[in-house]
């Protein structure tokens, strides 16, 4: 199994530009999570999908952030327009099913730098 | 709402020495507890979890953790640390097992190992 795949691994962009992060969960997993990790705030859950449906998006910082899961094998996190304070490592994770009973498998992350 | 604290931001131990990483949680009912490890440049990996039963939980890589309800703690231990254990360690807590429940991560403890 290839594990959770994220692309790109690194993204450098200028303030005001649109950024799209991509995630392919492990095949057969029904739940997908987007996290953001910074030194100041640690690991924060941004949004959580179960069976392609957003269950909890209370962690999405503001309207500039949006996430979609058009099918079971693909999800995107978009930031538009990007700001320097969005610089962070963004992780995607998937698990077999919803809730916390099953282990979350994390991708390698996308390091985003907004200048 | 549940929360978790890790009192130690950074710990340094010598290779071969024992290790204990502290974790305290806040939650009114029985929590579901996890330890994850993050190696440099990688995503998080589950070390072990506690849902119920024996309060001493064995995990991967020789780690164990003990749930102490009276102290609201779930400390991680390893009898002999290897240089490859140098990483960031996250304690996490969950409140329920429905598909709507989520895991809350602590701020992490960075472990350095002296050869």
């Amino acid at each position: 199994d290839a594990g959770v795949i994220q692309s790109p691994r690194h993204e450098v962009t200028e303030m005001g530009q649109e950024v799209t992060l991509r995630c392919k969960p492990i095949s057969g997993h029904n739940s997908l999570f987007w996290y953001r990790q910074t030194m100041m705030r640690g690991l924060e859950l941004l949004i959580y999908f179960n069976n392609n449906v957003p269950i909890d998006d209370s962690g999405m910082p503001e309207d500039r952030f949006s996430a979609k899961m058009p099918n079971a094998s693909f999800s995107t996190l978009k930031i538009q327009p990007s700001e320097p304070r969005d610089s962070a490592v963004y992780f995607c994770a998937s698990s077999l099913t919803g809730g916390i009973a099953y282990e979350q498998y994390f991708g390698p992350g996308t390091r985003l730098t907004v200048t | 709402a549940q929360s978790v604290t890790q009192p130690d931001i950074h710990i340094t131990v010598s290779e071969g020495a024992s290790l204990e990483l502290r974790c305290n949680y806040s939650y009114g009912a029985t929590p579901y507890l996890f330890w994850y490890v993050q190696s440099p440049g990688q995503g998080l990996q589950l070390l072990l979890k506690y849902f119920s039963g024996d309060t001493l939980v064995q995990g991967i890589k020789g780690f164990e953790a003990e749930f102490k309800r009276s102290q609201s703690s779930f400390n991680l231990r390893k009898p002999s640390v290897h240089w490859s254990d140098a990483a960031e360690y996250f304690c996490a807590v969950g409140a329920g097992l429905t598909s709507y429940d989520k895991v809350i991560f602590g701020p992490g403890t960075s472990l350095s190992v002296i050869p």
Side-chain angles (χ1 to χ4, degrees):
Chain A
D1 196 325
V4 175
I5 299 173
Q6 291 187 247
S7 64
R9 291 295 309 276
H10 301 273
E11 177 80 39
V12 180
T13 190
E14 293 183 347
M15 182 175 63
Q17 297 298 307
E18 175 182 304
V19 175
T20 299
L21 310 181
R22 297 173 176 79
C23 175
K24 176 178 170 57
I26 293 173
S27 177
H29 282 192
N30 293 332
S31 293
L32 184 139
F33 309 80
W34 282 102
Y35 290 90
R36 178 172 68 176
Q37 185 179 41
T38 62
M39 290 292 292
M40 291 296 295
R41 301 175 66 91
L43 194 65
E44 305 171 277
L45 177 66
L46 299 178
I47 188 168
Y48 155 37
F49 293 87
N50 193 37
N51 292 321
N52 311 337
V53 175
I55 300 298
D56 184 346
D57 65 355
S58 60
M60 295 288 263
E62 49 198 276
D63 292 345
R64 296 186 297 107
F65 286 69
S66 62
K68 294 182 179 180
M69 192 163 186
N71 57 61
S73 59
F74 184 66
S75 177
T76 60
L77 178 67
K78 183 179 294 186
I79 308 172
Q80 180 185 22
S82 58
E83 296 182 3
R85 60 192 168 120
D86 301 330
S87 297
V89 180
Y90 291 81
F91 288 102
C92 176
S94 70
S95 68
L96 194 58
T97 189
I100 66 172
Y102 293 92
E103 177 179 353
Q104 292 185 29
Y105 292 81
F106 283 74
T110 295
R111 182 174 295 278
L112 173 64
T113 302
V114 183
T115 61
Chain B
Q2 70 272 31
S3 66
V4 59
T5 58
Q6 295 179 246
D8 304 304
I9 296 174
H10 185 85
I11 285 182
T12 300
V13 299
S14 298
E15 192 169 16
S18 63
L19 171 70
E20 182 168 29
L21 302 181
R22 296 184 290 165
C23 171
N24 294 99
Y25 67 88
S26 175
Y27 183 61
T30 300
Y32 302 96
L33 297 161
F34 308 79
W35 275 100
Y36 279 82
V37 60
Q38 183 182 25
S39 298
Q42 313 238 338
L44 280 69
Q45 180 186 20
L46 181 68
L47 283 176
L48 48 80
K49 64 184 179 183
Y50 171 79
F51 279 15
S52 65
D54 192 346
T55 57
L56 185 62
V57 181
Q58 302 297 319
I60 62 172
K61 304 186 180 187
F63 286 92
E64 66 178 26
E66 186 171 12
F67 170 57
K68 293 186 177 180
R69 184 187 303 276
S70 62
Q71 298 177 20
S72 298
S73 69
F74 189 57
N75 293 349
L76 182 71
R77 301 193 295 247
K78 186 169 185 178
S80 178
V81 170
H82 188 262
W83 64 267
S84 62
D85 293 324
E88 188 90 15
Y89 291 81
F90 294 90
C91 183
V93 61
L97 296 178
T98 74
S99 61
Y100 295 93
D101 289 298
K102 58 190 178 185
V103 172
I104 305 298
F105 286 88
T109 296
S110 177
L111 173 66
S112 296
V113 180
I114 301 173

